[in-house]
Structures are given as C-alpha cells and as structure tokens.
C-alpha cells in the first residue's frame, strides 16, 4: 500500500505569489491615493477640485448706482457682458459689491480700484472624483473598501520582508532602506 505524501507548502513561493497578485490588485488604488494625495497636499497653491478663471475689467468713468442694488446689478451685468441669472448679491464691505450668478460664476465690483472681477468656476471632474475617494466623501461603504486597501498595504509591506533571501534580502544591507523609511517620518514628527 502506498503512503500518501504529505503536502508541503512552499511558504516562500506562496508569499511571493501573494505579494505579486495583491500588488497588481492595488495598482488602481495606489494611483488614486497617490494622485489625489499630491493634489490635496498642494491645495494652498491651486484648487484641486475647481478651475477658477478670473477676468478683470476696468470700471472707471462709470457712475455706479450704489443706492439701488437692483440697478447696480444691472450695471454690473452689462459691463461684464453676461446674461446669466443672478442667485444672490451682497455688499462685502462699504466699497465692494459681489454678485453670484448661476453657472458657478460671480462678479465683484471694487469701488476703491474701479475694477470688476469676473470669476468663472469650473469643476475638475477627474481630480474631484479622486479627491472625494481620498477624503472619504463618497458612500459610507467606501470606508470599508479603503480599510481593506490599508490592510492590503500592510500585507505588501510585511510580505516584502520575505521576498528575497540572502544578502539581498531585507535583513542584510537592504535593511537600511527599511530603517530610512522609519527615520524620515520620525524626523518630521520630532524635529
């Protein structure tokens, strides 16, 4: 009678295969979080969700009707050459009047500088979608998905320690790269 040979699992090979396949699966997630992360990190330099196009118009030599808001709005719309409907208006200060229009536009009249500033606001659809995912502003279920992604990143980090054996492995000189990955963030925390 033949004895059945016990199945031996090659843990090293299994780890490499899982690391490879999980890595492939995570490419889309990593691109989403990396691109939106850079976009959101620089939000003081640009608006990652909206493109704002600004036009300044010289408003000298105009006798503004500042005692009648409706008449003033008509003057502003005429000079800005727009027929968009008005959503709201208000005086920002004694010398600054702002008109909000439909179609995500607004016009500011500055009586100090005699200028009219027209702002057209357009969404950046791709960045807006990526940023909503990054900041968990979508469905509640996305939190579960992003938690799973975080767990997969932990697996990728830990399984990478056992990808290569010997002197090129994580426990040789290459361990300095691992150490650097801890030292750099720690430096920003404690310095």
């Amino acid at each position: 009678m033949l004895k059945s040979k016990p199945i031996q699992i090659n843990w090293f090979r299994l780890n490499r295969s899982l690391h490879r396949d999980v890595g492939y699966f995570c490419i889309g997630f990593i691109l989403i979080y990396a691109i939106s992360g850079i976009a959101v990190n620089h939000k003081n330099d640009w608006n990652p969700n909206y493109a704002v196009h600004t036009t300044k118009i010289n408003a000298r030599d105009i006798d503004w009707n500042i005692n009648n808001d409706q008449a003033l709005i008509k003057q502003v719309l005429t000079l800005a050459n727009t027929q968009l409907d008005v959503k709201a208006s208000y005086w920002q200060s004694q010398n600054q009047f702002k008109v909000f229009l439909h179609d995500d536009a607004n016009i500011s009249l500055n009586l100090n500088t005699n200028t009219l500033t027209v702002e057209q606001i357009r969404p950046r659809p791709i960045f807006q979608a990526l940023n909503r995912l990054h900041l968990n502003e979508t469905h509640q279920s996305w939190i579960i998905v992003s938690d799973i992604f975080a767990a997969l990143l932990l697996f990728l980090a830990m399984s990478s320690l056992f990808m290569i054996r010997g002197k090129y492995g994580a426990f040789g000189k290459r361990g300095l790269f691992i150490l650097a990955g801890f030292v750099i963030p720690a430096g920003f925390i404690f310095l």
Side-chain angles (χ1 to χ4, degrees), residues 134-155:
H134 192 123
L135 300 173
N136 284 339
E137 294 175 346
T138 59
H139 304 283
Q140 190 69 19
S141 57
W142 178 254
I143 293 173
I144 297 169
V145 174
S146 60
D147 284 348
I148 292 170
F149 170 61
L152 293 175
L153 285 180
L154 287 172
F155 169 76

Side-chain angles (χ1 to χ4, degrees), residues 5 26 49 56 90 92 98 106 109 170 175 180:
K5 195 174 180 180
C26 289
N49 291 319
K56 288 196 179 287
Y90 78 104
Q92 286 181 292
K98 190 157 191 170
N106 65 71
L109 170 63

Side-chain angles (χ1 to χ4, degrees), residues 30-179:
I30 291 170
L31 289 175
I32 288 169
Y33 279 96
I35 293 169
S36 60
I38 293 170
V40 172
N41 273 351
H42 297 277
K43 66 182 179 184
N44 289 336
D45 303 317
W46 75 310
N47 188 328
N49 291 319
Y50 298 95
V52 181
H53 179 72
T54 303
T55 305
K56 288 196 179 287
I57 300 171
N58 186 348
R60 288 182 185 151
D61 303 327
I62 294 178
D63 186 20
W64 296 106
N65 198 344
I66 58 173
N67 294 320
N68 182 335
D69 284 0
Q70 291 305 314
L72 181 59
I73 289 171
K74 283 184 181 175
Q75 287 181 301
V76 166
L77 295 178
T78 300
L79 187 60
N81 194 24
T82 182
Q83 296 179 347
L84 293 173
D85 292 331
V86 175
K87 283 199 296 193
S89 65
Y90 78 104
W91 284 93
Q92 286 181 292
S93 67
Q94 189 175 2
N95 293 313
Q96 290 186 318
F97 185 69
K98 190 157 191 170
V99 180
F100 294 93
L101 307 173
H102 287 278
D103 199 29
D104 296 325
N106 65 71
I107 305 170
S108 297
L109 170 63
N110 187 328
L111 295 174
N112 287 331
T113 59
N114 287 316
T115 55
L116 208 60
T117 304
V118 181
E119 287 184 335
Q120 296 279 340
I121 301 167
R122 296 283 176 262
R124 301 180 197 270
I126 294 175
F127 278 110
Q128 210 172 41
L130 297 182
N131 294 339
R132 286 183 63 212
L133 290 173
H134 192 123
L135 300 173
N136 284 339
E137 294 175 346
T138 59
H139 304 283
Q140 190 69 19
S141 57
W142 178 254
I143 293 173
I144 297 169
V145 174
S146 60
D147 284 348
I148 292 170
F149 170 61
L152 293 175
L153 285 180
L154 287 172
F155 169 76
L156 288 174
M158 298 310 295
S159 63
S160 70
L161 296 174
F162 307 100
M163 291 288 291
I164 299 174
R165 290 185 268 204
K167 67 176 183 179
Y168 296 109
F171 302 103
K173 291 179 184 174
R174 302 300 190 278
L176 292 175
F177 290 118
I178 299 170
L179 185 62

